[in-house]
Amino acid sequence: MLIDIEQLRFLFQELKRILEKENDKETLYIISQSKLALLLIDECLKSSYDDIDLKQLLSKLKEIYTKINQPRVGLSDYFIWRDNYEERIKVNSELDTIKQSLILIIRK
């Protein structure tokens, strides 16, 4: 379970980095929720924790993911536009990899 938490930390961090780089007002909520997820993870990992704490944290992270993955307004439908096709494919591929990885961990 700790490995999942550490992977989620990395994924939320990368998601935040990508979205902040885009400077898109549509993603402000997703960015704020990613920051919250990172804060919760860091607080838990800095203190002494047990399996119950990790399960509660994982539950909260699942809630955050559900909130940011709403159809039409969330991460599920977010797409990064670039005029250059190759650049657009590359940046969205990175974003899609993060989305897929989040889904795999959250659905465990």
Side-chain angles (χ1 to χ4, degrees):
M1 185 175 328
L2 182 58
I3 292 172
D4 289 342
I5 300 293
E6 290 171 346
Q7 287 176 333
L8 285 170
R9 185 185 191 293
F10 173 78
L11 293 168
F12 277 113
Q13 197 168 31
E14 287 300 296
L15 177 62
K16 183 177 85 65
R17 179 189 60 80
I18 289 170
L19 297 179
E20 285 177 338
K21 186 176 172 182
E22 293 307 309
N23 197 25
D24 186 349
K25 290 182 181 180
E26 293 178 17
T27 62
L28 291 177
Y29 180 71
I30 299 169
I31 291 169
S32 71
Q33 291 299 299
S34 296
K35 287 178 180 180
L36 175 60
L38 291 168
L39 179 68
L40 293 172
I41 292 169
D42 288 344
E43 284 179 1
C44 181
L45 295 180
K46 285 180 185 176
S47 64
S48 57
Y49 55 85
D50 57 19
D51 283 345
I52 293 172
D53 294 331
L54 293 177
K55 286 179 184 177
Q56 289 175 343
L57 174 60
L58 193 54
S59 177
K60 289 178 186 178
L61 296 175
K62 287 179 181 183
E63 287 176 29
I64 289 171
Y65 177 77
T66 300
K67 289 178 185 178
I68 66 171
N69 203 40
Q70 297 297 317
R72 294 184 301 274
V73 294
L75 189 59
S76 64
D77 293 335
Y78 184 72
F79 179 79
I80 299 171
W81 177 257
R82 296 283 190 276
D83 289 332
N84 180 294
Y85 176 76
E86 286 83 22
E87 188 179 333
R88 185 169 63 241
I89 293 299
K90 181 182 176 188
V91 71
N92 280 290
S93 175
E94 185 179 359
L95 182 61
D96 288 342
T97 298
I98 292 169
K99 290 178 189 180
Q100 296 280 330
S101 298
L102 281 168
I103 289 170
L104 289 174
I105 295 171
I106 294 296
R107 289 189 179 166
K108 278 187 179 179

